[in-house]
Amino acid sequence: MSGCIFCKIIAGEIPSKIVWQDENVVAFRDISPLAPTHVLIVPRKHLVTFSDFSAGDGPIMTSLAVAVREVAKLDGVLESGYRLIVNNGPDGGQEVMHVHMHLLGGRNIGPMIKRSVPEG
Ligand code: 5GP
Ligand code: ZN
Protein backbone atom coordinates (compact mmCIF):
# COMPACT_ATOMS: atom_id res chain seq x y z
CA MET A 1 0.00 0.00 0.00
CA SER A 2 1.48 3.33 -1.03
CA GLY A 3 2.49 5.53 1.87
CA CYS A 4 2.91 2.59 4.25
CA ILE A 5 6.39 2.51 5.74
CA PHE A 6 6.36 -1.26 6.30
CA CYS A 7 5.18 -1.93 2.72
CA LYS A 8 8.15 0.18 1.60
CA ILE A 9 10.52 -1.84 3.79
CA ILE A 10 9.06 -5.09 2.44
CA ALA A 11 9.51 -3.80 -1.14
CA GLY A 12 13.12 -2.86 -0.36
CA GLU A 13 12.44 0.84 -0.96
CA ILE A 14 13.52 1.68 2.61
CA PRO A 15 16.59 -0.09 4.03
CA SER A 16 16.18 -2.41 6.99
CA LYS A 17 18.09 -5.18 8.74
CA ILE A 18 16.17 -8.23 7.60
CA VAL A 19 16.78 -11.28 9.79
CA TRP A 20 14.38 -13.81 8.24
CA GLN A 21 11.81 -13.96 5.44
CA ASP A 22 9.65 -16.32 3.43
CA GLU A 23 6.94 -15.83 0.80
CA ASN A 24 4.43 -14.48 3.37
CA VAL A 25 6.40 -12.72 6.07
CA VAL A 26 9.44 -10.47 6.56
CA ALA A 27 11.23 -10.10 9.92
CA PHE A 28 13.52 -7.11 10.43
CA ARG A 29 15.14 -5.31 13.36
CA ASP A 30 13.22 -2.47 15.00
CA ILE A 31 14.89 0.87 14.25
CA SER A 32 14.56 1.87 17.89
CA PRO A 33 15.12 -1.36 19.86
CA LEU A 34 13.74 -1.75 23.38
CA ALA A 35 15.74 -4.90 24.12
CA PRO A 36 18.86 -6.67 22.78
CA THR A 37 16.54 -8.60 20.49
CA HIS A 38 13.74 -6.48 19.06
CA VAL A 39 12.51 -7.82 15.76
CA LEU A 40 9.33 -6.89 13.90
CA ILE A 41 7.59 -9.80 12.17
CA VAL A 42 5.41 -8.42 9.40
CA PRO A 43 3.12 -10.07 6.84
CA ARG A 44 3.88 -9.02 3.26
CA LYS A 45 0.13 -8.49 2.80
CA HIS A 46 -0.96 -5.03 3.94
CA LEU A 47 -3.41 -5.54 6.79
CA VAL A 48 -3.91 -2.88 9.42
CA THR A 49 -4.67 -4.78 12.63
CA PHE A 50 -4.74 -8.39 13.79
CA SER A 51 -8.53 -8.33 13.37
CA ASP A 52 -8.06 -7.99 9.61
CA PHE A 53 -6.78 -11.55 9.22
CA SER A 54 -9.41 -13.76 7.63
CA ALA A 55 -9.98 -17.46 6.99
CA GLY A 56 -7.89 -17.45 3.81
CA ASP A 57 -4.86 -16.13 5.65
CA GLY A 58 -3.95 -19.49 7.18
CA PRO A 59 -0.62 -19.70 5.28
CA ILE A 60 0.32 -16.25 6.58
CA MET A 61 -0.47 -17.27 10.15
CA THR A 62 1.68 -20.35 9.72
CA SER A 63 4.54 -18.22 8.41
CA LEU A 64 4.18 -15.87 11.39
CA ALA A 65 4.52 -18.83 13.75
CA VAL A 66 7.52 -20.22 11.85
CA ALA A 67 9.11 -16.76 11.81
CA VAL A 68 8.81 -16.47 15.59
CA ARG A 69 10.65 -19.74 16.11
CA GLU A 70 13.32 -19.04 13.49
CA VAL A 71 14.01 -15.47 14.67
CA ALA A 72 14.20 -16.64 18.30
CA LYS A 73 16.59 -19.39 17.23
CA LEU A 74 18.77 -17.03 15.16
CA ASP A 75 19.07 -14.53 18.03
CA GLY A 76 19.69 -17.24 20.62
CA VAL A 77 16.60 -16.51 22.73
CA LEU A 78 14.65 -19.70 22.09
CA GLU A 79 15.60 -21.16 25.48
CA SER A 80 16.00 -17.93 27.50
CA GLY A 81 12.55 -16.76 26.39
CA TYR A 82 11.01 -13.80 24.66
CA ARG A 83 7.81 -11.80 24.50
CA LEU A 84 5.49 -11.31 21.52
CA ILE A 85 3.48 -8.09 21.36
CA VAL A 86 0.93 -6.95 18.80
CA ASN A 87 -0.34 -3.40 19.33
CA ASN A 88 -3.74 -2.78 17.74
CA GLY A 89 -5.42 0.58 17.23
CA PRO A 90 -5.35 3.69 19.42
CA ASP A 91 -5.74 2.05 22.85
CA GLY A 92 -3.27 -0.65 21.84
CA GLY A 93 -0.65 2.03 21.12
CA GLN A 94 -0.22 1.07 17.46
CA GLU A 95 1.97 3.57 15.60
CA VAL A 96 2.55 1.87 12.26
CA MET A 97 -0.73 0.90 10.60
CA HIS A 98 0.51 -2.34 9.05
CA VAL A 99 -0.01 -5.25 11.42
CA HIS A 100 3.22 -6.51 12.98
CA MET A 101 4.44 -8.61 15.86
CA HIS A 102 7.24 -7.41 18.13
CA LEU A 103 9.61 -10.15 19.30
CA LEU A 104 11.53 -8.93 22.35
CA GLY A 105 14.21 -10.82 24.24
CA GLY A 106 17.84 -10.97 25.29
CA ARG A 107 17.01 -9.62 28.75
CA ASN A 108 14.20 -10.05 31.25
CA ILE A 109 11.38 -8.12 29.60
CA GLY A 110 9.69 -7.42 32.94
CA PRO A 111 6.01 -7.39 33.88
CA MET A 112 3.50 -8.01 31.13
CA ILE A 113 1.91 -4.57 31.48
CA LYS A 114 2.66 -1.58 33.65
CA ARG A 115 -0.13 -0.88 36.12
CA SER A 116 -0.15 2.85 35.33
CA VAL A 117 -3.88 3.43 34.92
CA PRO A 118 -6.01 3.10 38.08
CA GLU A 119 -8.53 0.30 37.71
CA GLY A 120 -12.17 1.00 38.44
P1 5GP B 1 3.89 -0.07 16.99
O1 5GP B 1 3.87 0.99 18.05
O2 5GP B 1 3.10 0.34 15.78
O3 5GP B 1 3.47 -1.41 17.53
O4 5GP B 1 5.40 -0.25 16.61
C1 5GP B 1 5.99 0.33 15.50
C2 5GP B 1 7.47 0.03 15.59
O5 5GP B 1 8.05 0.29 14.33
C3 5GP B 1 8.21 0.88 16.61
O6 5GP B 1 8.83 0.04 17.59
C4 5GP B 1 9.24 1.65 15.78
O7 5GP B 1 10.49 1.80 16.43
C5 5GP B 1 9.34 0.80 14.52
N1 5GP B 1 9.66 1.55 13.32
C6 5GP B 1 9.09 2.70 12.89
N2 5GP B 1 9.62 3.10 11.73
C7 5GP B 1 10.57 2.18 11.41
C8 5GP B 1 11.47 2.05 10.31
O8 5GP B 1 11.51 2.87 9.39
N3 5GP B 1 12.29 0.96 10.30
C9 5GP B 1 12.27 0.04 11.31
N4 5GP B 1 13.13 -0.98 11.21
N5 5GP B 1 11.42 0.13 12.36
C10 5GP B 1 10.60 1.19 12.42
ZN1 ZN C 1 1.69 -1.77 4.56
Side-chain angles (χ1 to χ4, degrees), residues 4-108:
C4 171
I5 198 163
F6 284 179
C7 281
K8 286 181 180 163
I9 287 175
I10 290 161
E13 293 164 13
I14 293 177
S16 70
K17 293 180 182 166
I18 292 176
V19 292
W20 189 88
Q21 59 185 313
D22 72 0
E23 68 273 28
N24 299 311
V25 162
V26 180
F28 53 88
R29 298 204 183 275
D30 197 292
I31 202 166
S32 184
L34 297 170
T37 288
H38 188 171
V39 173
L40 302 173
I41 301 173
V42 185
R44 291 182 186 275
K45 183 177 177 182
H46 180 89
L47 299 170
V48 178
T49 73
F50 207 85
S51 329
D52 294 321
F53 284 113
S54 54
D57 292 326
I60 302 177
M61 303 305 289
T62 300
S63 288
L64 288 172
V66 172
V68 167
R69 186 185 64 236
E70 294 305 314
V71 168
K73 210 186 285 179
L74 282 166
D75 263 30
V77 301
L78 202 54
E79 302 301 325
S80 52
Y82 53 88
R83 180 166 299 152
L84 301 174
I85 298 174
V86 182
N87 298 320
N88 294 279
D91 280 358
Q94 184 177 7
E95 290 174 1
V96 176
M97 295 300 148
H98 180 136
V99 68
H100 53 280
M101 194 180 277
H102 298 252
L103 190 156
L104 296 149
R107 67 166 170 84
N108 188 312

